[in-house]
Amino acid sequence: MVVGRRRAAEERREFEEFAHTRGAALFRTALLLCGDWHLAEDLTQTALARIYASWHRVKQAESPTAYARTVLVRCYLSHRRLRRSTELPVLDGLPEQAAPDHDPALRVALLAALAELPPKDRAVLVLRYWEDRSVDETAAELQLSPGTVRVRALRALTRLRRQLAPHLDSLVP
């Protein structure tokens, strides 16, 4: 019984360390996926809760970080499927300060255009270009074929370019 408690305490400590080191990155990914600060916090918390529930299996995975990201993306897609059609995502919860050396107007315009994309297209773009995942890694995380990831990325980038085209003169110096 004492050994079981020690093992449970050790697993809890390992998970807390993982959540502390990877939580911010998961939150940033969630924020890019959903565009809502509070929903990103909820998605991150839900993903971490699911990871904790199966931590004994997660810690043995080849990449616990990739596993966590997959859980987060699936939480986001599940949330999008359950949303009522009358709810609209809001972007007023974005951080007040942009990253250094970036144009805040361009960043806001890009996030607004990203919010207009369908959830799976948005997930493909965030994983491929923000998280810098390969086509195969993105396909595995979203349970899509590599060809589908390529097509979704191409079409989503085309939509983004089309949405940002009228604003490019004022956004890019």
Side-chain angles (χ1 to χ4, degrees):
M1 183 140 170
V2 172
V3 173
R5 286 185 188 163
R6 284 185 190 153
R7 185 175 296 142
E10 177 66 20
E11 282 194 352
R12 185 171 36 254
R13 186 193 59 73
E14 289 172 352
F15 172 76
E16 287 172 355
E17 182 179 323
F18 174 81
H20 179 71
T21 58
R22 298 303 308 157
L26 288 173
F27 172 76
R28 282 190 303 272
T29 300
L31 184 59
L32 284 168
L33 287 170
C34 69
D36 178 351
W37 189 275
H38 301 291
L39 179 56
E41 288 175 338
D42 291 345
L43 290 172
T44 303
Q45 184 175 3
T46 300
L48 287 172
R50 290 181 183 175
I51 292 164
Y52 180 71
S54 58
W55 181 246
H56 62 280
R57 185 178 50 220
V58 174
K59 71 179 184 174
Q60 295 172 358
E62 185 176 319
S63 174
T65 301
Y67 188 102
R69 196 173 34 255
T70 300
V71 170
L72 177 69
V73 170
R74 289 182 184 164
C75 286
Y76 164 70
L77 292 174
S78 291
H79 173 77
R80 292 293 301 179
R81 280 192 295 269
L82 296 175
R83 290 183 67 145
R84 294 185 322 213
S85 61
T86 58
E87 292 183 276
L88 298 174
V90 291
L91 293 174
D92 59 347
L94 293 175
E96 293 190 24
Q97 225 176 12
D101 299 325
H102 289 84
D103 181 12
L106 179 59
R107 185 181 180 114
V108 169
L110 182 60
L111 288 172
L114 196 59
E116 297 294 318
L117 295 175
K120 279 207 175 177
D121 288 351
R122 188 175 190 173
V124 165
L125 289 185
V126 168
L127 290 174
R128 283 282 292 130
Y129 302 107
W130 177 263
E131 292 286 333
D132 200 27
R133 300 282 149 225
S134 70
V135 170
D136 291 331
E137 290 170 329
T138 302
E141 288 188 34
L142 295 175
Q143 296 180 330
L144 300 170
S145 71
T148 301
V149 168
R150 285 187 201 95
V151 168
R152 280 188 177 273
L154 178 66
R155 289 180 182 165
L157 286 172
T158 301
R159 277 191 221 122
L160 275 180
R161 286 185 188 110
R162 202 175 316 125
Q163 289 174 334
L164 292 173
H167 310 289
L168 281 180
D169 292 339
S170 63
L171 294 174
V172 179

